Amino acid sequence: MMRRSRTSWRGVATAAAVGSTVVALAACGSGTGSGGTTNQKPHRGGTLQVATDADPGSLDPNINTAYASWYVTELIYGSLLRQDQSGKIVGDVAQSYTHPDARTYTFKLRPGVKFSDGRTATSADVKYSFDRLTDKATASPWSGIFEVIKSIDTPDASTVTFHLKRSFAPFLSYIAYPFYTPILDKQTVEKPGGLKNAAMGTGPFELVSYQPGNQVTLKRNPNYYDKQRPYLDGIRMRVITNDSTRLAAVRSGQVQLAWFHDPRTPKLLGAAANVKVLEAADDRNEEGLAFNQTKAPFNNVDVRRAISEGIDRNAIIKLVLDGKGNIGSKIPGGAKPYGYSGPASGLPYNTYNPADAKKLLAKAGYGSGLTVSLNVAPLYPRDLQTAEIMRDQLGKIGVHVNIVQKDWTTTLGSFVKTSYDGMSMVGLVWQPDPDADAHDLWDSKSPINIGHFKDAQIDRLLEDGRVAQTTADRAKAYMAAQKRVADMAYMLFPYTSKAEDQVVRDSVQGFTATDSGLHGAALLNTWLTGAR
């Protein structure tokens, strides 16, 4: 007889419970907190003017890895489960599930869930969405996650059963986010142009228009199953890449919500009236430095270790983040209990030691120094500033860094594919499960193995984290994997930090900052004073 264990609905918590009992799922609950202060009750109306810092590039959630696209797609698409404003995983397209054994999940769909054109979503749509996601022709970077699915059954229009090849602890976490597992409309997908500039989903908003490089316009989905929310009539996201321009737009009232990766920027508001800065609670993001390990000199572990010891992380945190950051790894400290984080993380080669770094370079045959390139996108000023500080620091150990500035899309694409020479650095963001943080980046078989390295020990630890049935066992595996990555210097992390600060006008109510930096759940509960 299976013993039923405690279930937690947080994406970084325990493995799913096993038992024949039906687990009912609450719909997305309303949140608390607001951007302004008012005793009014939430009411409908108005279009929220948002300033986003980057263009989505594409609206295809199965392909696009850019966070700027997730800001949009999480509002348009539904998924079987969803994260509410408090961070709890609740029901979305699914209203309940059963988990009779470690390899089987059966979901019962919520009655009345429709696409924004009015067509009822069925189990066939769920199966089609997962089939497209895992189809090699789609070339989704997330496909490796879902190779664990053996088959999907749809015994009736409201029931879908997933049969897994093996126990997979993060399964519920992954299907709770529409940027991983959106429920797609087949007709929209198969139209000319596909999902690059088009979208049709079951989420709270529907796409009106996408003008690349300019703006995205959304309106309330009239067929959304929650008849009370969203309160907003619509959302207009303007692409304003310059921090100063974006800040000025908030100050003047042209936009009511904007976000900033540089924690120093919102301070420029001073005591501006009618504006509030909202800050996340825990570290969830990282700056990620990768090496092309298929070529010299970075196929040599001593060179990578020298780079790691030649970086003064605490100095970077002080200068770039105004002290609001920590030393850590890919799974940040906010993802308790899986992450390393703190002023001194205890990870090998993470302590600034230029004397030892020089010895390591000499051991590797580079005692007279070497010259390397570092790709970085100037779109995010703190990425470029971090690169410039690292260049100065590494120059002191004999590593001369040539910074290569490229646009964000190119930089991200080459980072994911390891199609650069030397080094590449991008900001890495919150993920819903430690598996999502680590597996795709480090597993030897992953299509986006960063740096193209292979390590059987890490592969084994990552698999242990996927099949373990307790939080303690998962944490043990992921902590060991991160320590191994630091020891071999496969990837470096100059710092971990909180999600970007959000700046809101007082007219914005019901909106709260989240550790993830994603805004979908908060925008579901957002309303505007004075709007009718």
Side-chain angles (χ1 to χ4, degrees):
M1 184 176 78
M2 291 287 185
R3 185 168 61 88
R4 183 176 175 80
S5 60
R6 182 174 64 87
T7 300
S8 172
W9 287 109
R10 287 196 178 276
V12 296
T14 62
V18 177
S20 58
T21 303
V22 174
V23 179
L25 300 166
C28 297
S30 59
T32 59
S34 65
T37 302
T38 178
N39 293 321
Q40 298 181 50
K41 292 183 178 180
H43 56 256
R44 279 192 170 186
T47 296
L48 180 68
Q49 306 293 330
V50 177
T52 181
D53 57 348
D55 184 69
S58 166
L59 299 183
D60 190 335
N62 286 166
I63 297 174
N64 200 337
T65 61
Y67 224 53
S69 71
W70 292 7
Y71 293 142
V72 179
T73 55
E74 66 165 339
L75 296 171
I76 297 172
Y77 290 104
S79 47
L80 286 171
L81 309 176
R82 181 179 282 270
Q83 186 186 57
D84 72 6
Q85 199 166 348
S86 69
K88 181 181 179 181
I89 290 179
V90 297
D92 190 27
V93 174
Q95 70 170 0
S96 65
Y97 81 91
T98 57
H99 185 29
D101 59 68
R103 301 183 182 185
T104 307
Y105 293 83
T106 295
F107 294 90
K108 201 70 175 178
L109 304 191
R110 185 185 305 279
V113 174
K114 297 180 179 181
F115 290 97
S116 56
D117 67 351
R119 185 176 68 82
T120 299
T122 70
S123 59
D125 296 303
V126 177
K127 186 177 188 305
Y128 169 78
S129 300
F130 278 85
D131 287 346
R132 181 182 189 260
L133 175 65
T134 56
D135 188 342
K136 291 183 179 179
T138 304
S140 173
W142 320 127
S143 61
I145 297 171
F146 298 101
E147 60 82 27
V148 72
I149 297 174
K150 181 179 180 181
S151 62
I152 301 174
D153 294 336
T154 54
D156 58 58
S158 63
T159 307
V160 58
T161 297
F162 293 83
H163 301 282
L164 308 186
K165 298 174 185 176
R166 58 189 180 279
S167 173
F168 188 62
F171 185 66
L172 294 178
S173 293
Y174 278 125
I175 64 172
Y177 298 91
F179 42 83
Y180 281 118
T181 55
I183 307 306
L184 304 174
D185 172 61
K186 182 178 180 181
Q187 294 179 352
T188 304
V189 172
E190 297 183 353
K191 287 180 180 179
L195 300 181
K196 181 175 177 58
N197 298 314
M200 173 78 74
T202 64
F205 293 89
E206 65 174 301
L207 180 68
V208 175
S209 64
Y210 168 39
Q211 301 169 344
N214 185 13
Q215 69 180 21
V216 178
T217 303
L218 307 173
K219 68 177 181 180
R220 183 194 301 120
N221 175 2
N223 296 299
Y224 189 51
Y225 67 82
D226 186 333
K227 299 307 177 185
Q228 179 182 359
R229 299 169 303 155
Y231 300 114
L232 297 168
D233 286 338
I235 300 173
R236 184 173 294 112
M237 295 186 178
R238 296 172 51 192
V239 180
I240 304 177
T241 59
N242 182 272
D243 275 10
S244 297
T245 305
R246 199 160 62 256
L247 195 67
V250 178
R251 183 184 285 112
S252 68
Q254 295 179 49
V255 302
Q256 297 150 302
L257 167 65
W259 43 85
F260 299 86
H261 294 272
D262 188 337
R264 298 167 301 182
T265 302
K267 289 185 177 181
L268 300 176
L269 284 168
N274 305 317
V275 179
K276 177 179 287 188
V277 179
L278 306 178
E279 187 176 294
D282 288 321
D283 291 351
R284 284 300 181 93
N285 296 346
E286 316 85 27
E287 191 74 4
L289 178 65
F291 307 105
N292 186 335
Q293 295 168 53
T294 67
K295 303 176 180 179
F298 294 118
N299 56 357
N300 188 312
V301 64
D302 288 320
V303 173
R304 301 193 303 267
R305 286 170 170 170
I307 298 290
S308 187
E309 289 195 323
I311 297 173
D312 186 345
R313 292 165 173 79
N314 285 317
I316 294 173
I317 290 167
K318 181 178 180 180
L319 293 169
V320 176
L321 301 178
D322 201 26
K324 294 183 177 181
N326 280 299
I327 298 174
S329 183
K330 180 60 189 79
I331 304 176
K336 302 176 178 65
Y338 305 102
Y340 286 90
S341 186
S345 66
L347 289 165
Y349 299 101
N350 271 223
T351 301
Y352 183 50
N353 191 339
D356 194 55
K358 291 178 181 179
K359 292 178 182 178
L360 288 166
L361 286 176
K363 179 182 175 184
Y366 296 98
S368 59
L370 73 160
T371 299
V372 299
S373 63
L374 170 58
N375 282 17
V376 68
L379 173 64
Y380 296 109
R382 76 179 191 182
D383 290 359
L384 181 57
Q385 186 180 8
T386 300
E388 292 170 341
I389 295 170
M390 285 170 44
R391 178 185 59 193
D392 294 342
Q393 292 175 348
L394 293 174
K396 296 176 182 178
I397 66 168
V399 177
H400 306 288
V401 177
N402 291 326
I403 297 175
V404 180
Q405 298 186 44
K406 297 185 178 182
D407 67 87
W408 169 241
T409 301
T410 301
T411 299
L412 178 62
S414 65
F415 180 89
V416 170
K417 298 176 182 177
T418 312
S419 58
Y420 51 85
D421 292 322
M423 304 185 294
S424 181
M425 187 169 66
V426 302
L428 301 171
V429 294
W430 170 92
Q431 297 288 344
D433 190 275
D435 181 78
D437 272 301
H439 193 277
D440 281 355
L441 272 64
W442 297 340
D443 184 78
S444 297
K445 300 179 294 297
S446 169
I448 53 174
N449 170 270
I450 301 298
H452 289 175
F453 68 90
K454 296 183 183 297
D455 189 313
Q457 181 178 337
I458 290 177
D459 291 346
R460 184 177 65 254
L461 289 167
L462 294 176
E463 186 61 23
D464 288 347
R466 285 187 156 188
V467 301
Q469 291 296 301
T470 68
T471 297
D473 287 342
R474 295 194 79 202
K476 181 179 179 181
Y478 290 119
M479 296 286 276
Q482 291 173 95
K483 188 173 182 179
R484 173 68 175 175
V485 167
D487 183 49
M488 299 300 292
Y490 289 132
M491 283 187 72
L492 306 184
F493 301 90
Y495 52 77
T496 65
S497 63
K498 299 177 182 179
E500 66 270 16
D501 289 338
Q502 285 110 51
V503 178
V504 296
R505 302 281 302 182
D506 282 351
S507 57
V508 178
Q509 299 293 314
F511 183 90
T512 58
T514 62
D515 289 343
S516 70
L518 292 169
H519 311 118
L523 290 173
L524 190 64
N525 294 300
T526 297
W527 55 284
L528 298 173
T529 57
R532 295 291 182 182

